[in-house]
Amino acid sequence: KKVMRGELSHIEGPGIGYNVGYSSLELFLAPIEPIVDDAWVPIIDLRGHVFNNAQFAGNIGLGARYLGKWIGGVNLFYDARGTKDKCYHQVGAGVELLGKVFDVRINAYLPIGDTQRLSSNEKRLQFALGGINAELGWKDNKVSNMPVYLAVGPYYFQGKNKSAFGVQGR
């Protein structure tokens, strides 16, 4: 048996790394029961995105979670994002520790291949950003009989003498 979760969402821009909104379709696959040593669960995370300007992006993630008192996880992603002038690629890696009340996540991103290009119509330099982000999450299933999840954490991205540092919440 597999756990399958699908999600359709829309985010209206701008944000870090995008100037227009985008819609996403996500598919998360994992077996219900551990399949390795009665504790390890493999995961597959597939995501497709279409931006309001008709550009596309996608993510393919593989990982594993260890089921114990806390859930520990590792993941590796391949990401691709098209612009009018170029398709950019990166790999991402992450670790997570998930508890009944608190979660901790840390992710790193590394652009691969040709990471910059002069935009044809704007005469501006486009470039990929590498970086890191972290997150501390809190969940409570007792608020108004509805699950609540809040998370906050810092991020830092850098590329071609530019950088972005801040705090993100969800």
Side-chain angles (χ1 to χ4, degrees):
K1 293 183 178 180
K2 294 195 184 247
V3 170
M4 186 166 67
R5 183 188 84 224
E7 184 175 311
L8 181 62
S9 64
H10 180 78
I11 295 177
E12 199 53 47
I16 295 174
Y18 58 95
N19 294 324
V20 297
Y22 62 94
S23 296
S24 301
L25 177 62
E26 177 181 353
L27 186 61
F28 183 86
L29 302 168
I32 291 175
E33 298 292 327
I35 63 171
V36 180
D37 295 332
D38 293 330
W40 285 97
V41 175
I43 59 173
I44 299 172
D45 193 347
L46 307 170
R47 302 175 191 190
H49 316 280
V50 61
F51 288 81
N52 292 356
N53 61 2
Q55 301 299 319
F56 295 92
N59 317 94
I60 299 171
L62 300 174
R65 288 186 172 155
Y66 179 82
L67 306 179
K69 184 175 179 181
W70 286 74
I71 298 172
V74 295
N75 63 69
L76 184 65
F77 273 81
Y78 167 76
D79 307 313
R81 166 128 185 244
T83 70
K84 183 178 178 182
D85 298 302
K86 178 168 181 39
C87 185
Y88 294 93
H89 306 271
Q90 76 175 14
V91 292
V95 295
E96 59 189 359
L97 188 58
L98 312 174
K100 290 184 180 184
V101 177
F102 293 102
D103 298 339
V104 178
R105 293 177 171 88
I106 300 173
N107 300 295
Y109 310 93
L110 179 65
I112 54 176
D114 186 12
T115 61
Q116 65 185 26
R117 181 175 179 102
L118 188 60
S119 173
S120 62
N121 63 346
E122 298 176 18
K123 301 298 180 208
R124 292 180 15 185
L125 184 65
Q126 295 178 345
F127 54 91
L129 300 172
I132 189 166
N133 73 310
E135 179 180 87
L136 176 62
W138 170 81
K139 59 186 150 250
D140 187 345
N141 293 325
K142 299 173 189 156
V143 178
S144 301
N145 295 322
M146 193 169 70
V148 173
Y149 185 79
L150 301 172
V152 65
Y155 61 83
Y156 177 76
F157 295 101
Q158 182 176 6
K160 195 65 180 168
N161 300 322
K162 299 280 183 176
S163 63
F165 174 77
V167 175
Q168 179 177 349
R170 61 184 178 109

